[in-house]
Amino acid sequence: MNINNKDSKRIIIALDFPDAESTRKLLRELDPAQCRVKIGKELFTRCGPSLVEEVVKSGFDLFLDLKFHDIPNTVGKAVAAAANLGVWMTNVHAAGGRDMMIAAKAAVDDAQHKPLLIAVTVLTSMSQTDLLDIGITMPPQEQVMRLARLAGQCGMDGVVCSAAETQMLRVSMGGDFVLVTPGIRPAGDAPNDQKRIVTPVDAIRAGSSYLVIGRPVTQAAKPGDKLNEIFMQLHGSFPDLC
Ligand code: C5P
């Protein structure tokens, strides 16, 4: 069980909305002392850095989930720009390679405000066949391990991983490596399009540092109440968590 993570605020709400107004409406229901939030490619592409700054200014720790993947110089500059927006965490694709991750890490080191920097290993949407199509003959879990080790060597703070990979990564990468896990569903909730889901309690128990939760909260009739229900479930097993 990973409780070495001293951070008690483990939930990241995915702000998967098409516009700023729906985003603001949800944020009014959330407490920045209790949870963090994530902005991904859709909302960022629609609303841009000004919304990121607005959310950061309103007190939320923000994970800017843009999964940068490009030549080292470009990714370094993109990470520097993300750091400049005041985000709490941002990410790159580990498949961009050693030099790219080192450039990303150097950008964080040089920044005044230093976000956590994590890597995506193998997208959970990729099957073994998909990997073969792009020339990767290793089983997905081995590829995940390989890229997680490389990410660690390049100074990444952690990786995004599926619930199925959490335990293996926690054991091999140690207690301080940040593991961010999507595909979380409170007991009894609909899986939506997620194939392998785990409950918040099981994800923390397997070693996850942060849980990304989207639709169970964002589509709930009362998002604040739904989040409280999740906190209650977590408190039952982990009284120290928010
Ligand atoms: O609504 P739901 O809880 O399924 O949202 C999960 C969030 O995590 C979405 O923003 C999705 O893009 C992201 N994500 C994921 N699976 C991954 C990586 C990211 O669901 N492997």
Side-chain angles (χ1 to χ4, degrees), residues 88-157:
W88 161 74
M89 176 186 276
T90 192
N91 58 0
V92 300
H93 266 286
R98 189 182 296 275
D99 288 352
M100 191 207 76
M101 284 192 277
I102 289 173
K105 169 72 172 139
V108 167
D109 289 343
D110 288 346
Q112 216 173 355
H113 167 83
K114 300 181 199 312
L116 287 170
L117 184 60
I118 61 168
V120 175
T121 58
V122 178
L123 289 169
T124 48
S125 53
M126 300 283 279
S127 66
Q128 177 122 41
T129 318
D130 295 320
L131 291 182
L132 278 174
D133 279 345
I134 58 167
I136 294 165
T137 51
M138 243 181 248
Q141 294 233 327
E142 271 180 50
Q143 180 70 359
V144 166
M145 266 319 307
R146 185 190 184 103
L147 290 176
R149 284 203 191 96
L150 180 63
Q153 288 164 15
C154 297
M156 300 296 102
D157 295 298

Side-chain angles (χ1 to χ4, degrees), residues 219-239:
Q219 305 299 313
K222 295 191 169 164
D225 290 357
K226 185 68 192 182
L227 191 53
N228 281 333
E229 188 190 306
I230 296 171
F231 288 135
M232 300 280 275
Q233 290 181 13
L234 278 175
H235 283 160
S237 302
F238 308 105

Side-chain angles (χ1 to χ4, degrees), residues 14 16 38 65 67 123-125 160 182-185 192-194 212-216:
D16 293 327
K38 172 173 99 72
D65 180 19
K67 303 185 181 73
L123 289 169
T124 48
S125 53
V160 182
I184 306 291
R185 289 293 176 270
N192 308 111
D193 56 354
Q194 297 281 10
V212 175
I213 305 180
R215 286 161 291 180

